[in-house]
Amino acid sequence: EMEVEELRRLLAGMEKEHRNLLAQMEAGEAELERLRKVEGDKVAEQDRSAQLEKEVATLREKIHHLDDMLKSQQRKVRQMIEQLQNSKTVIQAKDAAIQELKERVSYL
């Protein structure tokens, strides 16, 4: 259960980072769009535009990577929860068997 909680905490952290990266990407795209519309020094705008395009591409890569990691962690958490539930079921069955055996011993 502690591992599940730790994975959930990590998962929440990755989701938060994912949202932050999306916000950064959107901000970069918005600034890129603004730079494209504003007239002025074309060379400076082109340099900044190229820099922002690189940043956006890098952020997209990071987001894709985080999405993959997030899905993987979600699968792991679901598997661990399923294993935990299966273990609880097995323990309950064994507890019932033990109780039955105790009753038989006390009867004997």
Side-chain angles (χ1 to χ4, degrees):
E1 287 181 5
M2 289 173 58
E3 283 185 41
V4 168
E5 288 303 317
E6 179 65 19
L7 284 173
R8 283 186 181 158
R9 187 186 63 74
L10 290 173
L11 196 61
M14 287 191 302
E15 288 172 345
K16 182 178 178 183
E17 184 177 352
H18 180 262
R19 286 190 302 271
N20 289 340
L21 289 175
L22 277 174
Q24 286 179 1
M25 182 183 74
E26 289 172 3
E29 287 175 339
E31 186 177 356
L32 180 62
E33 190 63 35
R34 185 187 62 79
L35 285 175
R36 286 181 179 151
K37 292 178 182 177
V38 174
E39 290 185 1
D41 184 13
K42 296 292 181 183
V43 174
E45 285 183 3
Q46 288 175 348
D47 290 344
R48 180 67 179 146
S49 177
Q51 179 186 2
L52 287 170
E53 285 176 359
K54 287 178 186 177
E55 286 179 24
V56 167
T58 301
L59 289 170
R60 280 190 178 137
E61 253 181 69
K62 287 180 180 180
I63 288 170
H64 180 72
H65 179 67
L66 274 174
D67 279 340
D68 290 344
M69 288 175 51
L70 189 62
K71 288 175 185 172
S72 173
Q73 289 299 321
Q74 286 171 336
R75 279 192 301 272
K76 285 181 183 179
V77 168
R78 280 193 300 272
Q79 288 172 351
M80 290 183 76
I81 289 170
E82 186 178 314
Q83 287 175 350
L84 184 62
Q85 289 170 340
N86 290 341
S87 295
K88 284 181 179 179
T89 302
V90 169
I91 288 171
Q92 287 173 349
K94 288 185 179 184
D95 283 346
I98 289 170
Q99 187 60 34
E100 184 181 330
L101 289 172
K102 284 181 179 179
E103 288 172 5
R104 285 183 184 176
V105 166
S106 99
Y107 175 74
L108 293 175

